[in-house]
Amino acid sequence: MEISIRRLSKTYSAEGKTIVALADVDLKIAANQIFTLLGPSGCGKTTLLRCIVGLEMPDAGEIAIGDEVVFSTEKDIYVPPEKRGLGMVFQTYAIWPHMNVFDNVAYPLQTRNERSDEIRRKVERTLHFVQLDGFENRPATKLSGGQQQRVALARALVAEPKVILFDEPLSNLDAKLREETRKELRSFLRELKITAVYVTHDRIEALSLSDTVAVMKSGRIVEVGTPWEIYFDSDRRFVADFIGRANFIEGRVATVGEPYTMIDSTIGAIACEKKSGASPGKAVAVCIRPEFIRVLKGDPGDGRNIFQGRVESLVFVGDAYEGEIRVNETPLIFRIEPTTAVREGEEIALCFDPHHCSILLS
Ligand code: ADP
Ligand code: MG
């Protein structure tokens, strides 16, 4: 089911100050997609999710789920959470410790007074889906963190919601379990084919789980795109910086042309293949991800974007060498094959493909 949000605003007042949690948010979430709200802590993700669910009352705007308007200040509509037909999984699993797995999952159906054989059928089907068959009688507290999270997912799914919403559901798991549970969740959601809205501040979760990512900052949506577009094609520094490690090289547009736009930068002239709206003279930054910097051995030839630098640091991290190369006075972080023969202190030639250089406008 599609979700459309129009001009949604929400402010809080705390200690005499006004906090703008959501500022005029416009958003369309396509049906049957995994849609992620990504942004730093405090940017308004939870507030937006709670407004969609109906746990928070916005100051102004409109929210529609499918064809039904569930909130509108203009039309004076507020549909309470239990009538919105949504499922939610919270950061803390919020499963009940005094209940076994079956009762935890059955709870939403019991509150709707469904028939007990019907409840049993639905709970068992859902537990099967999240791969917890046979766990019905297990006390909820006797489960691992990952299993508890699957119980929370089952409870959100059992009532067959139109939309499922997640608020940082993996943040309480340790790193390894988080990775496993993320993969599990991904395959569950792909199989379900329902609209899922997923909130996280973790870029790896956002990139790996989502069909679409919306990056938020200070109560606003700053960019919406596929994980690929957000990672490679953003022309906003905030987005490029938040979504991954990157070098930002300050410069000015020299010439705009085909196939390259040339930037005069602190490390010299950089050829960029990607288009931007920048005209000559404009101050910009060129974004290059550390994995796209290559170390050239031997004759550097006369290719484009070749620079001389000094290896300032080099750290072996198992699957790569990571470190810093200084070009003129500009430090660049890089990530290269662990088999590359380079040493700390060495003068080297490096290059990067014009195709991998993004021009950041703001
Ligand atoms: P996120 O989930 O992205 O970390 P939140 O939506 O929780 O951000 O919060 C957005 C902003 O609103 C923050 O500045 C937060 O401190 C503030 N905020 C959230 N809930 C309340 C509340 N109940 N009272 C006052 N301020 C709040
Ligand atoms: Mg939050």
Side-chain angles (χ1 to χ4, degrees):
M1 195 123 352
E2 181 185 279
I3 302 176
S4 28
I5 295 168
R6 277 204 313 122
R7 308 210 59 179
L8 204 71
S9 308
K10 173 75 187 171
T11 52
Y12 295 105
S13 24
E15 294 158 16
K17 274 190 278 183
T18 304
I19 298 158
V20 180
L22 297 175
D24 252 354
V25 170
D26 278 304
L27 204 56
K28 269 229 184 314
I29 299 175
N32 304 339
Q33 272 210 345
I34 306 175
F35 188 98
T36 296
L37 295 167
L38 172 71
S41 176
C43 72
K45 306 180 296 295
T46 296
T47 305
L48 183 50
L49 210 62
R50 288 172 59 86
C51 289
I52 297 172
V53 180
L55 295 171
E56 205 73 64
M57 190 72 89
D59 301 337
E62 188 169 300
I63 303 171
I65 297 167
D67 295 330
E68 190 193 3
V69 175
V70 294
F71 177 82
S72 170
T73 35
E74 224 167 75
K75 299 173 188 153
D76 199 18
I77 294 172
Y78 168 75
V79 177
E82 65 278 9
K83 299 246 164 67
R84 293 193 187 186
L86 312 176
M88 181 142 175
V89 181
F90 295 92
Q91 183 166 9
T92 49
Y93 324 129
I95 59 175
W96 288 288
H98 58 285
M99 289 186 193
N100 65 20
V101 168
F102 183 94
D103 291 333
N104 260 287
V105 177
Y107 186 80
L109 305 177
Q110 280 159 351
T111 58
R112 296 201 309 203
N113 292 323
E114 290 204 19
R115 281 188 7 231
S116 65
D117 55 338
E118 196 51 14
I119 291 179
R120 178 152 295 275
R121 190 183 65 77
K122 287 185 182 171
V123 170
E124 277 171 4
R125 191 188 55 192
T126 313
L127 285 176
H128 176 69
F129 178 71
V130 300
Q131 293 165 15
L132 284 175
D133 315 76
F135 282 76
E136 287 81 353
N137 299 320
R138 186 83 67 94
T141 47
K142 293 280 187 299
L143 297 172
S144 70
Q147 288 168 334
Q148 290 190 28
Q149 195 48 273
R150 280 192 262 156
V151 172
L153 177 63
R155 194 180 50 195
L157 289 175
V158 76
E160 294 165 46
K162 294 184 273 191
V163 175
I164 184 163
L165 304 106
F166 297 87
D167 193 357
E168 314 228 12
L170 308 183
S171 57
N172 285 327
L173 306 176
D174 65 49
K176 189 156 183 298
L177 191 56
R178 188 156 63 220
E179 195 175 323
E180 279 169 31
T181 313
R182 165 161 44 84
K183 285 184 189 144
E184 256 171 36
L185 194 58
R186 184 171 199 276
S187 68
F188 290 150
L189 289 176
R190 304 244 161 226
E191 208 174 313
L192 273 173
K193 298 196 174 60
I194 61 171
T195 309
V197 186
Y198 192 96
V199 158
T200 184
H201 67 275
D202 183 308
R203 62 195 172 85
I204 306 286
E205 270 174 45
L207 292 172
S208 61
L209 278 173
S210 321
D211 296 305
T212 305
V213 179
V215 180
M216 286 186 76
K217 180 190 181 187
S218 312
R220 294 177 190 277
I221 308 284
V222 287
E223 193 154 329
V224 181
T226 63
W228 185 278
E229 287 163 350
I230 294 286
Y231 190 82
F232 288 112
D233 294 341
S234 179
D235 58 11
R236 291 181 181 86
R237 185 159 177 158
F238 175 79
V239 175
D241 195 16
F242 194 75
I243 202 70
R245 300 197 326 134
N247 294 294
F248 300 108
I249 306 169
E250 308 296 335
R252 260 178 211 288
V253 178
T255 57
V256 176
E258 287 289 338
Y260 304 123
T261 292
M262 297 303 299
I263 310 292
D264 277 335
S265 81
T266 54
I267 65 170
I270 301 176
C272 302
E273 197 180 287
K274 285 185 185 145
K275 292 284 152 289
S276 83
S279 47
K282 179 159 171 68
V284 293
V286 177
C287 169
I288 300 153
R289 304 275 175 203
E291 62 270 28
F292 293 132
I293 291 185
R294 287 184 295 129
V295 171
L296 289 175
K297 283 286 171 179
D299 178 13
D302 60 355
R304 289 184 186 275
N305 295 345
I306 294 174
F307 303 92
Q308 301 296 318
R310 181 175 185 278
V311 179
E312 296 286 324
S313 67
L314 196 64
V315 182
F316 176 60
V317 295
D319 58 344
Y321 268 131
E322 292 184 347
E324 199 177 280
I325 305 176
R326 193 167 287 271
V327 181
N328 296 338
E329 287 308 306
T330 305
L332 300 177
I333 52 171
F334 68 97
R335 185 180 160 84
I336 52 172
E337 280 278 307
T339 49
T340 318
V342 280
R343 283 174 290 105
E344 240 169 36
E346 193 177 351
E347 297 286 337
I348 52 141
L350 62 109
C351 73
F352 40 82
D353 194 320
H355 181 68
H356 291 136
C357 304
S358 313
I359 300 169
L360 306 179
L361 303 176
S362 59

